[in-house]
Amino acid sequence: MNKLIGLVGTNSDHSTNRMLLQYIQKHFSDKADIEIVEIKDLPIFDKPADMQIPAEAKALAEKIEAADGVIISTPEYDHAVPASLMSALSWLSYGIYPFVDKPVMITGASYGVLGSSRAQAHLRQILDAPELKARIMPSSEFLLSHSLQAFDADNNLKNPEQIQELEGLFEDFQMFINIMKQLSHTHAAHVKAAENFSWENN
């Protein structure tokens, strides 16, 4: 059984993205061990002069490093991911590189009709940065629109078609993880490249 991290992509105390990850955790409990983790306790990234990484960021990096894959659920603010998620990813690529070659599935929930589609595209760009270099599951996105009405009283998704779509994507992600495990021969080189990368010298 794969060990997965469900990363809540917002620092909001009340988010349908957290509810979506909780549903995924419960619905697929017989298929994967999913731990939901938060970014709301991380300080805002400020590139400290002493290169010291907050303990919260180190602990989160260790969880991601130990996991077989990561599911990130992001809301959409102004056609982009929240500033808190960008800040968290900055910490997770500053002297620590847990996302390098890590399989990632992106989901998102929004109150409107688009289901965070632009934020998901934005997140793909970020995760492909030289210091992150995650392995993002291609041609896949789960867009939960009108998310305030999407769950029942027990926090289960109500729409059978959405559930079926999510089940298919999750099966694909499990297969994607297993394929990526076979493509590990250049991992050390990729981590080294992330460590040595500098925007100032490129």
Side-chain angles (χ1 to χ4, degrees):
M1 183 178 287
N2 284 320
K3 167 69 176 176
L4 306 180
I5 293 296
L7 185 67
V8 181
T10 174
N11 60 358
S12 173
D13 289 330
H14 305 286
S15 172
T16 51
N17 283 277
R18 183 179 293 103
M19 292 171 64
L20 176 57
L21 286 175
Q22 290 169 341
Y23 173 78
I24 290 172
Q25 180 188 49
K26 177 173 59 175
H27 192 69
F28 299 110
S29 60
D30 61 333
K31 299 181 182 299
D33 178 9
I34 304 174
E35 178 184 0
I36 296 176
V37 299
E38 302 280 353
I39 61 172
K40 58 184 180 180
D41 295 328
L42 291 174
I44 295 297
F45 181 75
D46 61 357
K47 197 174 183 180
D50 59 4
M51 296 286 290
Q52 291 299 307
I53 302 167
E56 298 90 343
K58 289 182 179 179
L60 180 52
E62 289 173 1
K63 288 179 181 290
I64 293 171
E65 188 72 45
D68 297 298
V70 179
I71 302 172
I72 303 176
S73 193
T74 180
E76 181 172 315
Y77 298 159
D78 301 325
H79 292 186
V81 301
S84 57
L85 180 54
M86 291 187 65
S87 175
L89 293 173
S90 293
W91 280 125
L92 294 169
S93 57
Y94 184 70
I96 46 178
Y97 306 97
F99 274 105
V100 172
D101 293 332
K102 187 67 60 177
V104 175
M105 173 180 168
I106 299 174
T107 66
S110 74
Y111 298 166
V113 69
L114 295 178
S116 79
S117 60
R118 296 184 183 93
Q120 290 194 36
H122 183 214
L123 182 54
R124 285 178 180 272
Q125 289 182 312
I126 295 170
L127 289 171
D128 197 41
E131 308 96 316
L132 284 156
K133 217 61 180 170
R135 295 189 185 271
I136 311 153
M137 188 165 73
S139 303
S140 66
E141 55 185 6
F142 184 72
L143 308 171
L144 186 63
S145 59
H146 303 297
S147 58
L148 287 175
Q149 295 81 40
F151 298 91
D152 63 19
D154 296 317
N155 288 344
N156 294 314
L157 286 177
K158 294 190 291 188
N159 188 322
E161 292 182 0
Q162 289 178 329
I163 295 172
Q164 184 177 20
E165 179 187 1
L166 184 59
E167 288 174 344
L169 286 171
F170 191 83
E171 287 297 324
D172 285 349
F173 187 50
Q174 294 273 68
M175 184 174 294
F176 181 70
I177 289 171
N178 293 333
I179 292 172
M180 292 303 100
K181 287 178 180 178
Q182 309 304 313
L183 304 178
S184 60
H185 301 90
T186 56
H187 178 68
H190 289 168
V191 172
K192 192 69 175 176
E195 290 173 347
N196 292 336
F197 184 83
S198 170
W199 287 105
E200 296 174 359
N201 298 324
N202 286 279

